[in-house]
Amino acid sequence: MTTTTDFDFAAREALRILGPDPENWVPDHPGIDHNVTIIGGSGSGSTFVFALRRAGIGRVTEIDAAEDEAHAGVWLTRARMKTLRTPKHLPGPELGIPELSFQAWYEARHGAAAYAEIDRIERVDWAEYLSWYRHFLGIQVRYQTKLVRIEPAAGFFRLHLEVNGVPQVETTRKVIFANGVAGTGGPNIPPVLADLPRALYAHTADDIDFEALRGKTVAVLGAAASAFDAAAVALESGAKAVHLFVRRSAIASLSVLRIRDYPGAYDNYPQLPDAARWLQAWRFHQAGTAPPPNSIKRAIAFPNFHIHLSAPWKSARNVGDCLAIQVNDDVFEFDFVIAGTGYFVDPTKRPELADFAQHIALWRDCYEPPEDLRDDSLGMHPYLGSAHEYQEKVPGTAPYLKDIHVFNPAGLVSFGLPVGDIHSIRRDVPAIVSRISHDLFFQDWAQHEARISGNIAPDFEHSLYAAAVWKQPIGVASC
């Protein structure tokens, strides 16, 4: 087994052979603090930092509102699955450098045989790997830095931040949203719960005190992976009983995304016509999000776990410290409810976008589906450009939108998968970095033109080769 010291040495050797990071080629602009600001301090944000660095783009900053590394992202906070949902072999943050991959990292610690035996990556192992990746590459995340508002200016943005609770303004030319499932919307709270006391229910996006549910009867609304994971944690924490309620007559089991998970469809999906992309997103929504079998098995291992099918909630009201839930013609009482009801996408609901959300083109603005394929929630997804950039609803009204790139699940309709997951790294991170490089270069073309057209000192003088220049000998006739 490779030691971690040997592994780190091998990774450093790989970077050495790859060559040093290019120098920052982006000219400084007076009054501009950053060329690129990345919102989100988890794995995808750090991957962007590394990719931009390798592209020679400097003055990049990554911010996160979380208290510290342990609280940033989802892997040690809101994620409650035991293993990742994606296959272990998918390329990820290593960006084509095998020595930086999860497999290399894992085998150095546990051996190649141990890696071969695992089917999926343990969630806590993934979090540890991302921490190693971040520290090994010297990626600095600015924690306790919350984005409050983006203010467009002439050729840049003013970012209104709270840094350790103190208001602060910084400037940047480009913004990347790598901020997860709620990044362009928020947790979906069903109307049936909206008016209840907040102490009696939580969304799976919340920091739930599962120990407080010991001995309690808990309802879980929803049947996707996060719902089953929350149910399992409640049971593992000693809940008296957990009832999971599903609107459908059966739990969704069709993985529509997996059908198109091959290079041809994956690589070319963004170039599909709008009608084809809309149809695939609609099919995904209709089928529902299938929970992985291991999430189901984890919950049904408990005899006090119960699934209710064809069980939409008609009403919910609090009776003292309990909740009375009407499901079809029956009424159930619970001590607590967990909503595993996913997330909504709506740029107008994000306070940091308030200055210009009305100008962002949405799918409902750009494509009119057939009547039988209508879906209002899909219509609220932003209609993103080929580099995940926002586009204008009305051309010419907000040209700065092209400088905001969205690497979160709001890209589902445009790019065919939950953007921000490991699946999307290989295709989409290079596309975004390439566009940022293009834009920064051509925005400063006058300076680059002067640079590449300027006078160049010769690499050597004529005297270096003067003695070897052929001279016809005097008085010698040629043939």
Side-chain angles (χ1 to χ4, degrees):
M1 185 187 305
T2 305
T3 67
T4 54
T5 301
D6 290 341
F7 168 68
D8 281 6
F9 175 78
R12 293 201 186 282
E13 276 295 286
L15 292 178
R16 183 187 67 80
I17 294 170
L18 188 65
D21 296 332
E23 293 184 4
N24 175 32
W25 53 261
V26 184
D28 289 347
H29 284 224
I32 303 298
D33 299 312
H34 313 291
N35 290 318
V36 185
T37 297
I38 300 163
I39 315 301
S42 191
S44 55
S46 296
T47 303
F48 273 111
V49 173
F50 181 52
L52 289 162
R53 180 191 298 171
R54 292 301 304 171
I57 298 171
R59 302 181 71 188
V60 173
T61 189
E62 182 181 6
I63 67 174
D64 197 289
E67 177 184 349
D68 52 31
E69 183 180 43
H71 295 87
V74 300
W75 303 117
L76 298 177
T77 55
R78 300 182 302 279
R80 301 179 179 100
M81 73 285 276
K82 288 187 178 294
T83 63
L84 303 194
R85 316 207 194 284
T86 47
K88 67 180 182 180
H89 65 269
L90 290 180
E94 71 273 11
L95 299 179
I97 304 171
E99 292 81 357
L100 298 181
S101 67
F102 174 84
Q103 180 175 350
W105 175 88
Y106 189 88
E107 290 184 353
R109 284 153 178 78
H110 307 288
Y115 179 79
E117 289 177 0
I118 66 171
D119 176 49
R120 302 280 169 133
I121 298 171
E122 294 279 343
R123 172 178 55 84
V124 292
D125 286 341
W126 183 251
E128 187 180 347
Y129 160 70
L130 291 178
S131 178
W132 169 84
Y133 176 93
R134 193 175 296 115
H135 290 280
F136 178 80
L137 293 173
I139 294 170
Q140 302 293 322
V141 181
R142 298 165 55 200
Y143 298 108
Q144 300 183 53
T145 303
K146 178 183 178 182
L147 175 63
V148 176
R149 174 181 161 226
I150 300 178
E151 178 190 357
F156 64 94
F157 299 104
R158 292 187 185 90
L159 303 182
H160 295 260
L161 309 173
E162 287 182 3
V163 182
N164 297 319
V166 178
Q168 182 171 308
V169 176
E170 298 179 6
T171 53
T172 191
R173 296 175 67 181
K174 285 277 192 176
V175 173
I176 300 174
F177 279 110
N179 54 347
V181 289
T184 311
N188 181 36
I189 304 297
V192 71
L193 296 178
D195 295 330
L196 295 175
R198 201 63 173 87
L200 294 179
Y201 77 91
H203 191 275
T204 52
D206 297 328
D207 183 10
I208 302 172
D209 182 2
F210 283 95
E211 288 301 319
L213 301 182
R214 181 178 298 275
K216 302 290 182 67
T217 303
V218 179
V220 176
L221 185 57
S226 63
F228 274 96
D229 291 339
V233 176
L235 291 161
E236 291 162 357
S237 300
K240 180 180 179 181
V242 173
H243 294 252
L244 184 141
F245 293 85
V246 188
R247 288 177 302 162
R248 300 168 185 260
S249 59
I251 296 169
S253 60
L254 299 177
S255 183
V256 172
L257 295 181
R258 192 171 67 244
I259 299 173
R260 54 178 184 262
D261 187 16
Y262 59 95
Y266 172 87
D267 293 337
N268 299 297
Y269 193 94
Q271 284 77 51
L272 287 174
D274 288 354
R277 291 189 288 171
W278 180 271
L279 174 61
Q280 295 302 320
W282 181 86
R283 289 183 65 238
F284 173 71
H285 246 212
Q286 290 296 112
T289 304
N294 58 2
S295 289
I296 298 176
K297 292 175 182 177
R298 183 182 175 192
I300 65 174
F302 290 84
N304 50 340
F305 175 67
H306 312 282
I307 298 173
H308 301 252
L309 300 175
S310 300
W313 288 14
K314 290 185 177 180
S315 65
R317 57 190 178 86
N318 60 301
V319 180
D321 294 332
C322 297
L323 289 165
I325 311 295
Q326 182 175 358
V327 183
N328 295 323
D329 295 327
D330 299 316
V331 176
F332 298 84
E333 287 194 357
F334 296 101
D335 298 301
F336 195 74
V337 171
I338 300 173
T341 46
Y343 298 80
F344 69 89
V345 172
D346 184 351
T348 66
K349 297 295 191 297
R350 298 300 306 182
E352 64 268 27
L353 306 180
D355 281 22
F356 49 81
Q358 72 275 17
H359 297 304
I360 296 173
L362 307 179
W363 267 84
R364 70 181 185 185
D365 303 316
C366 303
Y367 177 69
E368 181 70 24
E371 188 64 35
D372 59 340
L373 298 182
R374 290 190 177 278
D375 187 313
D376 290 341
S377 62
L378 292 177
M380 291 302 298
H381 284 61
Y383 187 91
L384 299 175
S386 60
H388 291 244
E389 74 276 19
Y390 283 137
Q391 301 197 80
E392 301 168 279
K393 189 175 299 186
V394 178
T397 56
Y400 50 81
L401 288 176
K402 66 177 175 28
D403 291 319
I404 302 177
H405 301 265
V406 179
F407 191 72
N408 64 39
L412 170 68
V413 186
S414 298
F415 290 91
L417 45 77
V419 174
D421 284 358
I422 301 170
H423 266 105
S424 58
I425 289 177
R426 180 175 66 83
R427 181 190 65 191
D428 298 335
V429 168
I432 294 172
V433 170
S434 177
R435 176 63 62 80
I436 289 175
S437 175
H438 169 279
D439 291 352
L440 293 178
F441 181 79
F442 283 102
Q443 286 169 10
D444 293 331
W445 167 239
Q447 295 180 66
H448 289 295
E449 183 179 29
R451 176 178 176 178
I452 65 178
S453 302
N455 295 326
I456 303 174
D459 289 347
F460 48 83
E461 299 294 336
H462 172 75
S463 58
L464 177 65
Y465 59 88
V469 174
W470 169 257
K471 298 182 180 64
Q472 179 74 27
I474 300 173
V476 178
S478 60
C479 296

